[in-house]
Amino acid sequence: MKNIILFTNMSSISIYWNKSLPSLYNAINISDFSELINYLNKNKTPIILMLDEQSVSNIQEVLEELCRYQFLKTLLFNSVPEVYHASLLLSSGIRGYENSYLASINLENMLKVVEDEKIWIFTDLTNFIINKHINITSSKEPEFLKLLTEKEKEIALMIADGLSNKEIAQKEKNALSTIKGHIKSIFEKVGVNSRLSLALLFK
């Protein structure tokens, strides 16, 4: 069983996390920052930290302190995640950012992604990054588009423009489940596993 640190002083979040955590993890519940630092100083083995942002007074200072522990993978949570704020924090060494009350299946997927040395970011933040920081610079059609059907090509271009699944469904006048099916097919054909990875192929 793998150890994982759950850092929060909010009982509702603590209860939810302990209930949602996959069974292969053993939860170490910590609510005081000095206690967390003591634990990290004594146990210098690779570990994931689920950190409730609302349980610390200065998140930038906390993240700077945690950067000293190279064996630590920090996942940041907020009950009201804000995209611009999250985009700034990604440069502070966190490996993921999510809603505190994300569904248990999403938490399981998030932990798998982070253990695979990748970064997890919630959908709204992905769309924000695509919109603000990725410009399609080439007028030439990327080679991978030839692998897609016309409908999939349209959807791939909308993803590259930063549209959410809901916005694509509205534009295409299709059910959200249909759009999700097309996106799954696009990812499989192109060999990517995220909207951001797909958008970067257009650069």
Side-chain angles (χ1 to χ4, degrees), residues 3 9 38 51 65 73 81 83 105 111 127 129 136 148 155 164 179 192:
N3 286 340
N9 55 31
N38 286 337
L51 174 63
E65 177 76 10
K73 294 177 181 175
V83 291
I105 184 66
L111 294 172
N127 295 335
I129 292 170
I136 299 173
L148 309 179
I155 292 171
S164 67
I179 297 302
V192 296

Side-chain angles (χ1 to χ4, degrees), residues 8 10 12-14 16-17 20 50-55 76-81 97-104 107:
T8 181
M10 299 180 71
S12 61
I13 292 176
S14 178
Y16 187 81
W17 283 357
S20 302
M50 289 174 60
L51 174 63
D52 169 30
E53 184 177 357
Q54 294 166 301
S55 293
L76 193 61
F77 295 82
N78 196 310
S79 57
V80 189
Y97 188 95
E98 254 295 355
N99 189 303
S100 304
Y101 298 97
L102 79 166
S104 56
L107 176 58

Side-chain angles (χ1 to χ4, degrees), residues 133-197:
H133 302 293
I134 298 175
N135 296 313
I136 299 173
T137 55
S138 174
S139 57
K140 187 179 174 185
E141 187 174 277
E143 279 295 310
F144 74 86
L145 286 180
K146 294 176 182 175
L147 302 170
L148 309 179
T149 65
E150 283 304 313
K151 179 63 69 180
E152 289 169 347
K153 194 183 295 185
E154 288 173 20
I155 292 171
L157 287 165
M158 284 188 268
I159 289 172
D161 283 336
L163 272 67
S164 67
N165 287 1
K166 188 176 179 182
E167 289 169 329
I168 293 171
Q170 288 170 346
K171 273 184 171 287
E172 291 292 307
K173 296 182 172 57
N174 282 138
L176 195 55
S177 58
T178 303
I179 297 302
K180 287 180 179 177
H182 283 308
I183 292 173
K184 183 182 177 191
S185 175
I186 292 166
F187 285 2
E188 287 172 353
K189 288 180 180 179
V190 178
V192 296
N193 60 8
S194 74
R195 304 164 75 83
L196 189 54
S197 299

Side-chain angles (χ1 to χ4, degrees), residues 49-66:
L49 164 66
M50 289 174 60
L51 174 63
D52 169 30
E53 184 177 357
Q54 294 166 301
S55 293
V56 297
S57 56
N58 188 320
I59 189 60
Q60 288 289 1
E61 286 182 6
V62 165
L63 293 177
E64 282 175 24
E65 177 76 10
L66 294 177

